[in-house]
Amino acid sequence: MNSLYLLRARIKHEFDKEKQAAKKKSATMNSMAPNEREIIRLGMDMKHMKTNSEIMEEGLVPDPIQ
């Protein structure tokens, strides 16, 4: 009878581990920047982009608001 409890506990542990892994993967896939390196890269990209007012000063039309 004791071995059944141990087996049940092990199965529950494995199930919980898989559930957490799926949750973590889902959270990563739903993010614009999944890690710190991507956040830094996106920040550097944004730093070099012109603002709408700078674009209009050059006589160009900025992208419409999405």
Side-chain angles (χ1 to χ4, degrees):
M1 187 63 97
N2 193 19
S3 61
L4 288 176
Y5 288 114
L6 292 174
L7 180 61
R8 181 177 181 267
R10 182 173 175 110
I11 291 171
K12 183 179 181 334
H13 173 73
E14 291 298 320
F15 177 76
D16 290 342
K17 194 165 67 171
E18 287 179 20
K19 189 175 175 182
Q20 289 295 331
K23 189 175 187 181
K24 184 177 180 181
K25 183 178 179 182
S26 169
T28 300
M29 290 173 48
N30 294 329
S31 176
M32 183 175 172
N35 57 42
E36 188 175 355
R37 177 181 276 166
E38 273 299 301
I39 293 170
I40 292 169
R41 188 185 67 76
L42 287 171
M44 293 173 86
D45 289 347
M46 295 294 288
K47 187 189 300 186
H48 298 290
M49 291 181 70
K50 293 181 180 179
T51 63
N52 283 349
S53 56
E54 290 172 334
I55 291 172
M56 289 189 299
E57 284 176 4
E58 294 177 2
L60 302 172
V61 178
D63 286 335
I65 296 174
Q66 298 291 319

